[in-house]
């Protein structure tokens, strides 16, 4: 979740009933700041929806008389508003709040519903003015809701009270409050608040709640009333995406890109529509546009590299991966979690290249990770680098280099079963050795191989044990002496206890026949 500030222009005088004012209303100017929690997935925030000045003015502050949806103001209340107006004009909100509280205490049960509405509006204003103090904001908004609720209890048709409550619930930190916003906004619409801003916010709330059909209808109505707000247009496209209506969403994003080709968010949204239908050709085109605009995010570059990789375009994939690593290190203010994620993505690309046997390219990525993230890597990530390097070196026949990597892994993690088994394989490798002028093939280092395998056999992981038992058995068979063959049978039987196979059972029988033949001589 991320916090968004929603600024509403206007002064509290505009919340007074029109009948209570005899002088010209003051000009609107910046005032309330409210916080809004927005999910990471939507590309449009409520703050962006409300940036249109006409909508801002219409949403909370209206000077137009609203027949049947505003309480009638009696003479006492009208006189009170005459004294309150200059205080609000001077923006002395604390004093105005006290005057309203005193008026409520004075009139008691006869207090006009508009007094509670105005008090709620001032609480909303004070919440914005004290936005740095979370406790005060929470307190003022709680009071605003209580006062708006009182106004609605006294006058159920109070359109603006419903609308303002909907706005506050949208900005609440409580996750369930979005659902509370919807009925108030729907009530405001039913009472005649059929302006683009109300429909847009109703659509937004429904989108966050997963009510996609309702969200679509509200947003389309908002655009019918005012088609100048591109954020509503974008949000509607996002709603279509969520409904898997990719062609319709794509058409909207393409139209938006035509009007503003430098908006990277719209390009990425377009990429998502192509990905959803596995249209990788157009996906590459859109990602390359972003790349050449120098607006591709790090993860977008990794996506592009992955597509090239699946097409066996290893050099192009590597170039893009390297650009992603370089881009990822440019920003110095990244959180440790973000840096860790960047390194993990780079490691994934190296691992993937190695999986495609693009060993030189994988090594290039590993070298760049080491250079770019000298002090940022976690121990686990350093282990991953060593593991990938060792696998690459083994695949390229560089056993000595692989052994160095594996030894470093075991220094850090003595019980790393994969490293133990792989290093044992290196020591088990048959090499030509000159003995008394004769060339003999024998394991590189029999004792080291056995020691590594016995350590692997003690690791608490059946996958590791199985590989160690079978590899150890094969090593014993190469010795050809009877005791080694008996040891091989014992090891293979232990492997069968973990995962029995017909092939291993047949191998055991063949070894046993050889042992029996020697014993019968």
């Amino acid at each position: 979740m991320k916090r968004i500030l929603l600024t509403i222009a206007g002064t509290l005088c505009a919340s007074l009933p029109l009948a209570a004012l005899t002088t010209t209303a003051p000009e609107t100017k910046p005032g309330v700041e409210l916080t809004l929690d927005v999910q990471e997935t939507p590309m449009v925030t409520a703050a962006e929806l409300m940036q249109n000045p006409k909508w801002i003015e219409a949403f909370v502050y209206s000077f137009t008389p609203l027949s049947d949806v505003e309480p009638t103001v009696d003479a006492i209340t009208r006189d009170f508003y005459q004294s309150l107006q200059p205080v609000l004009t001077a923006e002395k909100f604390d004093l105005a709040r006290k005057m309203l509280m005193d008026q409520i205490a004075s009139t008691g049960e006869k207090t006009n519903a508009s007094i509670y509405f105005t008090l709620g509006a001032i609480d909303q204003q004070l919440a914005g003015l004290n936005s740095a103090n979370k406790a005060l904001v929470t307190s003022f908004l709680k009071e605003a809701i209580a006062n708006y609720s009182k106004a609605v209890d006294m006058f159920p048709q109070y359109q603006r009270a419903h609308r303002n409550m909907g706005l506050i619930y949208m900005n609440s930190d409580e996750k369930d409050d979005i659902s509370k916003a919807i009925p108030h906004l729907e009530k405001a619409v039913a009472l005649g608040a059929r302006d683009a801003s109300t429909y847009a916010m109703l659509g937004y709330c429904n989108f966050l709640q997963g009510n996609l059909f309702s969200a679509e209808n509200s947003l389309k109505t908002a655009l019918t009333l005012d088609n100048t707000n591109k954020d509503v247009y974008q949000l509607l496209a996002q709603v279509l995406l969520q409904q898997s209506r990719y062609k319709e969403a794509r058409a909207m994003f393409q139209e938006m890109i035509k009007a503003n080709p430098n908006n990277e968010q719209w390009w990425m949204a377009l990429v998502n529509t192509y990905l959803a239908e596995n249209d990788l050709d157009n996906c590459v085109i859109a990602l390359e546009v972003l790349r050449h605009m120098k607006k591709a995010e790090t993860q977008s570059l990794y996506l592009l590299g992955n597509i090239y990789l699946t097409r066996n375009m290893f050099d192009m994939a590597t170039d893009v991966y390297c650009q992603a690593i370089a881009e990822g290190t440019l920003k110095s203010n990244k959180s440790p979690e973000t840096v860790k994620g960047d390194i993990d993505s780079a490691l994934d690309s190296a691992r993937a290249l190695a999986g495609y046997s693009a060993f030189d390219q994988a090594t290039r990525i590993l070298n760049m990770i080491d250079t770019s993230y000298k002090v940022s890597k976690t121990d686990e990530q350093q282990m991953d680098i060593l593991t990938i390097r060792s696998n690459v070196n083994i695949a390229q026949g560089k056993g000595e280099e692989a052994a160095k990597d594996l030894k470093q892994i075991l220094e850090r993690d003595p019980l790393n079963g994969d490293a133990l088994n792989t290093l044992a394989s290196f020591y088990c490798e048959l090499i030509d050795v000159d003995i008394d002028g004769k060339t003999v093939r024998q394991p590189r280092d029999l004792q080291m191989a056995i020691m590594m395998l016995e350590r692997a056999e003690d690791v608490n992981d059946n996958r590791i044990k199985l590989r160690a038992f079978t590899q150890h058995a094969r090593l014993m068979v190469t010795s050809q002496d009877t005791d080694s063959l008996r040891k091989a049978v014992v090891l293979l039987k232990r492997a069968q206890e973990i995962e029995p196979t017909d092939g291993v059972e047949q191998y055991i029988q063949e070894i046993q026949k050889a042992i029996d033949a020697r014993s019968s001589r």
Side-chain angles (χ1 to χ4, degrees):
M1 305 288 281
K2 57 184 177 181
R3 295 177 68 86
I4 304 295
L5 285 179
L6 175 57
T7 303
I8 300 175
T11 65
L12 262 293
C13 283
S15 66
L16 300 181
L18 185 67
L21 302 176
T22 56
T23 58
T24 304
E27 264 183 40
T28 60
K29 56 183 176 180
V32 181
E33 285 191 334
L34 302 173
T35 59
L36 172 65
D37 274 349
V38 182
Q39 293 180 357
E40 291 291 348
T41 46
M43 294 176 295
V44 179
T45 68
E48 292 166 332
L49 289 178
M50 295 301 293
Q51 285 173 353
N52 187 317
K54 292 187 299 182
W55 287 21
I56 292 169
E57 183 178 349
F59 193 75
V60 179
Y61 306 100
S62 171
F63 290 92
T64 307
L66 304 174
S67 175
D68 298 327
V69 292
E70 297 278 345
T72 302
V73 178
D74 55 54
I76 295 174
T77 304
R78 186 180 297 109
D79 291 343
F80 169 74
Y81 278 132
Q82 295 292 335
S83 62
L84 182 66
Q85 182 184 344
V87 178
L88 291 177
T89 302
E91 297 187 353
K92 297 178 180 179
F93 300 119
D94 289 323
L95 176 57
R97 192 172 192 277
K98 183 179 183 306
M99 291 174 64
L100 286 159
M101 296 289 285
D102 290 343
Q103 178 70 6
I104 291 171
S106 172
T107 53
E109 294 182 359
K110 295 181 180 179
T111 301
N112 190 278
S114 67
I115 297 292
Y116 286 102
F117 173 81
T118 306
L119 183 55
I122 288 178
D123 287 328
Q124 207 170 346
Q125 180 83 2
L126 288 170
L129 294 174
N130 292 277
S131 58
N133 188 326
K134 186 173 181 180
L136 267 182
V137 169
T138 301
S139 176
F140 279 126
L141 291 180
K142 185 177 180 181
E143 288 295 321
I145 286 290
N147 286 312
Y148 287 141
S149 297
K150 182 69 173 176
V152 167
D153 288 343
M154 297 174 68
F155 191 80
Q157 305 298 98
Y158 215 139
Q159 181 200 98
R160 285 190 296 166
H162 283 292
R163 189 161 50 174
N164 285 10
M165 275 197 284
L167 180 60
I168 292 176
Y169 280 130
M170 278 192 58
N171 288 277
S172 171
D173 289 331
E174 300 296 326
K175 67 175 184 178
D176 294 332
D177 279 356
I178 285 289
S179 61
K180 296 178 183 177
I182 293 174
H184 285 291
L185 292 171
E186 288 177 337
K187 183 68 172 178
V189 169
L191 292 170
R194 298 188 179 96
D195 54 279
S197 60
T198 305
Y199 276 112
M201 300 305 276
L202 182 56
Y204 183 78
C205 288
N206 276 308
F207 174 59
L208 293 184
Q209 288 294 105
N211 306 326
L212 300 181
F213 181 76
S214 297
E216 180 184 348
N217 285 339
S218 295
L219 293 170
K220 284 182 175 178
T221 303
L223 287 172
T224 300
L225 295 168
D226 181 359
N227 63 2
T228 63
N229 194 316
K230 295 302 180 186
D231 294 312
V232 179
Y233 202 78
Q234 182 179 353
L235 181 56
L236 177 56
Q238 185 74 356
V239 170
L240 294 173
L241 270 180
Q242 292 288 323
Q243 297 179 79
S244 302
R245 291 158 63 181
Y246 304 118
K247 286 183 174 59
E248 294 173 71
R250 184 182 306 133
M252 294 188 72
F253 285 122
Q254 287 171 333
E255 189 173 325
M256 292 156 65
I257 288 170
K258 197 175 294 183
N260 184 1
N262 294 318
N263 189 308
E264 63 270 24
Q265 282 190 333
W266 297 348
W267 278 105
M268 273 312 300
L270 188 63
V271 167
N272 288 334
T273 68
Y274 290 131
L275 276 178
E277 296 188 321
N278 201 35
D279 184 353
L280 298 185
D281 289 337
N282 279 312
C283 189
V284 166
I285 292 170
L287 287 168
E288 282 291 4
V289 169
L290 277 171
R291 184 184 176 200
H292 289 290
M293 286 167 57
K294 300 189 184 304
K295 290 191 174 184
E297 295 289 336
T298 303
Q299 294 306 316
S300 302
L301 291 170
Y302 280 118
L303 171 61
L304 178 59
N306 291 343
I307 296 174
Y308 284 140
L309 180 63
T310 60
R311 296 181 170 194
N312 296 326
M313 302 165 71
F314 303 131
D315 288 333
M316 290 187 70
T318 304
D319 288 343
V320 177
Y321 289 145
C322 287
Q323 183 181 344
I325 295 171
E327 294 284 342
T329 57
L330 288 178
K331 298 178 182 178
S332 58
N333 60 342
K334 285 189 172 183
S335 68
E337 292 78 12
T338 302
V339 173
K340 181 180 183 302
D342 287 346
I343 298 173
D344 285 340
S345 294
L347 286 169
D348 286 342
S349 65
R351 197 177 286 111
L353 284 164
Y356 275 83
S357 300
F359 301 121
D360 291 339
Q361 293 89 339
T363 300
R364 181 183 167 193
I365 297 296
L366 292 173
N367 291 341
M368 190 166 185
I369 294 172
D370 273 335
T371 302
S372 302
Y373 298 103
K374 291 181 179 178
V375 296
S376 305
K377 299 185 293 292
T378 64
D379 288 342
E380 183 181 355
Q381 289 170 332
Q382 186 58 49
M383 292 280 284
D384 285 341
I385 290 173
L386 291 169
T387 301
I388 299 169
R389 278 194 189 280
S390 66
N391 291 335
V392 168
N393 284 325
I394 289 169
Q396 291 182 305
K398 300 176 182 177
E400 297 286 351
E401 293 298 317
K404 291 178 184 177
D405 297 327
L406 292 165
K407 288 175 183 177
Q408 287 187 58
I409 292 173
L410 291 171
E411 285 174 8
R412 294 167 178 266
D413 180 10
L415 296 179
N416 188 304
D418 286 319
L420 288 167
N421 276 322
T422 306
L423 187 55
S425 297
F426 170 71
Y427 289 129
C428 287
E429 183 182 346
L430 296 177
I431 60 173
D432 293 333
V433 179
D434 188 297
I435 299 178
D436 298 331
K438 293 183 179 180
T439 300
V440 180
R441 289 184 65 76
Q442 64 181 34
R444 186 184 300 274
D445 190 327
L446 180 63
Q447 295 307 313
M448 284 297 295
I450 292 173
M451 184 177 72
M452 293 294 138
L453 290 168
E454 287 177 344
R455 285 170 60 183
E457 290 163 6
D458 289 333
V459 172
N460 188 26
D461 184 329
N462 282 341
R463 179 182 62 85
I464 301 297
K465 287 177 180 288
L466 182 63
R467 182 182 172 191
F469 286 139
T470 53
Q471 188 172 201
H472 195 172
R474 284 195 297 270
L475 180 62
M476 291 297 95
V477 170
T478 61
S479 297
Q480 289 299 315
D481 63 274
T482 303
D483 287 342
S484 295
L485 292 177
R486 289 193 177 100
K487 175 74 170 176
V489 170
V490 172
L491 290 165
L492 289 171
K493 285 182 177 180
R494 294 186 67 181
Q496 286 290 79
E497 291 173 3
I498 297 172
E499 187 179 306
T501 65
D502 293 340
V504 171
E505 186 60 39
Q506 184 178 352
Y507 191 32
I508 292 173
Q509 292 174 6
E510 290 174 358
I511 297 171
Q512 190 62 54
K513 285 179 183 179
I515 296 171
D516 293 342
R518 291 182 183 187
S519 300
S520 63
R521 289 175 186 173

